[in-house]
Structure formats: structure tokens, C-alpha cells
Amino acid sequence: MNVTEAVASRRSIRQYLDQPVDQAVLLRVLEKAQNAPSGGNTQPWNAVMLTGEPLAKLVDLVAETIPQGLAAYSAEYPIYPAELEGRYANSRFGVGEAMYKALEIPREDKAQRLDMFRNNFRAFGAPVLMLVHTPRYMGLPQWSDIGMWLQTVLLLLREEGLDSCAQEAWAVYQKQIREVTDIPEDHIFFCGVSIGWGDRDAAINQFPVPRVALDQALRWEGF
């Protein structure tokens, strides 16, 4: 698989096959991803890889917490800006509606929509969950570096035939994550990444995710 094929076939997968992932494959991916660029070669990314009993422990702990609703949220950063508007807000709203449409869950069916939301915190059934964190003093440039590393990881997973879903949603339960994993207190938790063999035939993995036209995001000068 070349880079173009990996980019074209990568999407956020929200249903996985009941099939384990070989640690050697993950190690190969993560070793290659160390070549991702970062300002001043700071390499500000850190991660914990969960599977098996530790992953099940986290999923169970969060499942116990979810009924508390917003009162249990403890995100260390705003996942979306309050000022989100225009095409940015439209894209965010549109992908959610496309997903529920593919699953034939109407807007008024709050119970099913809530259950789908809870799937975020089951890692969508993936056998591996990567938890990403970085020192609290890192600034916006270093967060950008982490993003470049994450994209490198996601594309290398595709090269191996694996699928993934980057999930900032896990940030709202960073306190529960810290109960299960040894993330230093002087580190900020960023996101989770579900990893596994995607069930590509599932409806939730097939709905269209449109991208904005290039002329909405790009301006040419001097060409």
C-alpha cells in the first residue's frame, strides 16, 4: 500500500472485528512513526497502549461513570471551541447526522443515540486503545507536532491493514484514565486512539464523510 492508498482508505472506524492485534505489528508501526517531524526534534508525544484486562478495566470504570452525565466530565481542555461556526460547525454537525442516518437512528430516539455515544468509551470494540499525553508545559506548536505523529501512526496502521479512530472524546474521562494507567500528573491527557481490524462491511463504517472543496480552505498566490 502506498501513501496515497493509505490516505484514501483511512477513515474513523467505529466497529471492529473480534480479532487481536499482534504486539509486533504495533511495535513496527510505532518505531516507524518515530520519524514523524517535530519542531526542534522535541518529539513531544507519549502514549500508553492498552489491551486485554487493563482495557477492560478502563471500559468498565467509565461505564460506571457515564450515568453521572456532565457532572463526571473533567476534560483538561475544550475539545471544540465555543465559537465554532460556519463551515467548521457545519462539517461537525453533518458527519454526526450522516452517521445516525446510516444507522437509521432518528433524532428523537435519544436512547439509541446515547448508546452510540457510549460506544466511544468501549473503544468501539477495538482490541487496542492508545492513550496519548504530553507534558503540561508544551505549547500549541508541540500539539501540532503530536498531530503530525498521530497521522503518521494512522497511515502506517493502514499500511498494515489495520484501522483506527482518533478520539478526543476520551479526554472528558481523563480522571478515570489516570486511575487505570500511570500517566504523570504533570502531563495533560490528549486523546485515545482505537486500533484493530475494522469491520468494513458495517453500516457505521460506510457512510460518506464529505470534505470541503479545496477552494474553501486554500488560496493561491504567485502562481
Side-chain angles (χ1 to χ4, degrees):
M1 184 182 294
N2 62 36
V3 176
T4 298
E5 292 168 337
V7 171
S9 63
R10 191 219 62 81
R11 65 175 289 150
S12 296
I13 294 296
R14 295 178 174 87
Q15 185 169 322
Y16 293 82
L17 302 174
D18 184 13
Q19 183 177 342
V21 176
D22 191 335
Q23 185 182 17
V25 175
L26 295 172
L27 186 59
R28 183 162 62 238
V29 164
L30 294 168
E31 284 179 340
K32 291 178 181 179
Q34 286 299 102
N35 288 309
S38 61
N41 196 33
T42 52
Q43 305 170 63
W45 47 82
N46 296 268
V48 180
M49 308 296 291
L50 293 187
T51 193
E53 184 178 345
L55 176 55
K57 183 178 179 181
L58 175 60
V59 169
D60 289 346
L61 179 59
V62 172
E64 294 172 3
T65 307
I66 286 176
Q68 299 175 30
L70 295 176
Y73 283 15
S74 58
E76 296 178 303
Y77 65 92
I79 295 176
Y80 298 104
E83 301 83 4
L84 197 67
E85 61 181 3
R87 71 172 175 87
Y88 311 106
N90 292 339
S91 292
R92 182 193 171 199
F93 176 79
V95 74
E97 289 305 298
M99 181 184 73
Y100 289 122
K101 182 179 179 181
L103 297 173
E104 299 182 344
I105 301 176
R107 179 181 294 275
E108 59 271 16
D109 193 340
K110 303 298 185 184
Q112 278 203 68
R113 288 197 171 203
L114 178 59
D115 193 55
M116 284 307 306
F117 171 74
R118 287 174 172 168
N119 268 345
N120 277 284
F121 308 107
R122 300 169 185 139
F124 300 117
V128 176
L129 179 65
M130 180 169 73
L131 301 170
V132 181
H133 56 98
T134 194
R136 294 184 184 276
Y137 59 73
M138 292 296 181
L140 295 178
Q142 288 73 50
W143 282 60
S144 174
D145 294 339
I146 295 170
M148 289 190 284
W149 170 76
L150 277 169
Q151 176 73 330
T152 303
V153 171
L154 301 188
L155 295 180
L156 287 168
L157 288 170
R158 285 303 302 133
E159 183 182 62
E160 297 284 353
L162 287 161
D163 290 297
S164 61
C165 185
Q167 299 173 260
E168 291 167 333
W170 278 102
V172 302
Y173 292 123
Q174 57 87 17
K175 287 184 178 179
Q176 288 71 28
I177 288 169
R178 293 177 189 278
E179 290 183 37
V180 175
T181 65
D182 188 20
I183 294 177
E185 284 301 322
D186 62 350
H187 279 215
I188 188 169
F189 175 78
F190 176 31
C191 71
V193 181
S194 296
I195 300 171
W197 305 98
D199 183 355
R200 289 268 172 161
D201 294 328
I204 197 170
N205 293 329
Q206 293 190 348
F207 66 88
V209 183
R211 298 308 201 244
V212 299
L214 194 57
D215 61 6
Q216 294 185 53
L218 180 68
R219 184 176 67 250
W220 300 84
E221 296 184 4
F223 285 87

